């Protein structure tokens, strides 16, 4: 089976987080462009979503997974940048996001603001994983 070292594991984690963030950002921007209510208030709300998710969710996950990866051996499964709980949470969040968007439960004005803020926090977290990987010997 293909194995990677801790540095590559951090790079994979960073790329996965950035790819997820860019995809969600794309959805947020497309939704924002189709929403007739452009305002400075929406930008402020997206910044608040960004700060909340970055500070209270993603930075904690970054620290947790970085510590866990640092404790691993030198040969690891390339998918082990998340633990089992992390994969379950990711599957749940993707399913929830797709379900909410397709069911149209929430208005586009909410989706545009929420997705833009959330995606920015995901991208920053991915960059932190890449930086951590660069520091790894």
């Amino acid at each position: 089976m293909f194995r990677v070292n801790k540095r590559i594991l951090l790079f994979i984690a960073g790329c996965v987080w950035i790819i997820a963030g860019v995809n969600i950002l794309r959805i947020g921007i497309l939704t924002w462009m189709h929403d007739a209510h452009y305002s400075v208030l929406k930008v402020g709300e997206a910044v608040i979503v960004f700060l909340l998710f970055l500070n209270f969710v993603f930075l904690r996950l970054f620290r947790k997974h970085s510590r866990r990866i640092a404790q691993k051996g030198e040969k690891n499964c390339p998918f082990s940048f998340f633990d089992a709980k992390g994969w379950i949470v990711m599957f749940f969040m993707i399913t929830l996001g797709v379900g909410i968007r397709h069911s149209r439960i929430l208005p586009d004005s909410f989706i545009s603001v929420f997705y833009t803020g959330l995606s920015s926090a995901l991208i920053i977290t991915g960059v932190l994983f890449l930086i951590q990987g660069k520091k790894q010997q």
Side-chain angles (χ1 to χ4, degrees):
M1 181 174 196
F2 181 68
R3 300 284 184 188
V4 298
N5 64 32
K6 293 183 263 190
R7 183 177 192 187
I8 299 299
L9 209 52
L10 289 164
F11 282 132
I12 293 170
C15 290
V16 167
W17 283 72
I18 290 169
I19 290 167
V22 168
N23 186 47
I24 294 171
L25 180 60
R26 181 186 60 78
I27 295 166
I29 289 172
L30 289 173
T31 306
W32 198 308
M33 290 171 43
H34 290 102
D35 185 16
H37 301 93
Y38 298 137
S39 72
V40 175
L41 181 61
K42 283 178 65 172
V43 173
E45 291 169 344
V47 169
I48 290 169
V49 170
F50 163 76
L51 291 172
L52 288 172
F53 271 90
L54 183 65
N55 289 308
F56 296 111
V57 180
F58 296 144
L59 285 179
R60 289 179 183 179
L61 289 172
F62 165 73
R63 288 185 203 106
K64 172 189 169 188
H65 290 296
S66 292
R67 278 192 302 268
R68 190 181 51 72
I69 290 169
Q71 295 172 351
K72 288 183 157 296
E74 280 307 309
K75 299 295 180 185
N76 304 284
C77 173
F79 299 107
S80 66
F81 59 88
F82 274 156
D83 54 10
K85 180 181 174 187
W87 283 107
I88 292 167
V89 168
M90 185 164 72
F91 175 78
F92 173 76
M93 295 302 290
I94 291 170
T95 303
L96 183 66
V98 170
I100 287 174
R101 263 195 356 269
H102 289 294
S103 66
R104 313 285 287 157
I105 293 172
L106 298 171
D108 283 349
S109 58
F110 176 85
I111 297 292
S112 62
V113 166
F114 186 77
Y115 272 42
T116 303
L118 176 71
S119 64
S120 301
L122 279 165
I123 292 167
I124 294 297
T125 305
V127 169
L128 291 174
F129 275 110
L130 294 178
I131 291 169
Q132 189 73 15
K134 182 95 169 115
K135 291 179 185 178
Q136 195 66 234
Q137 294 298 337

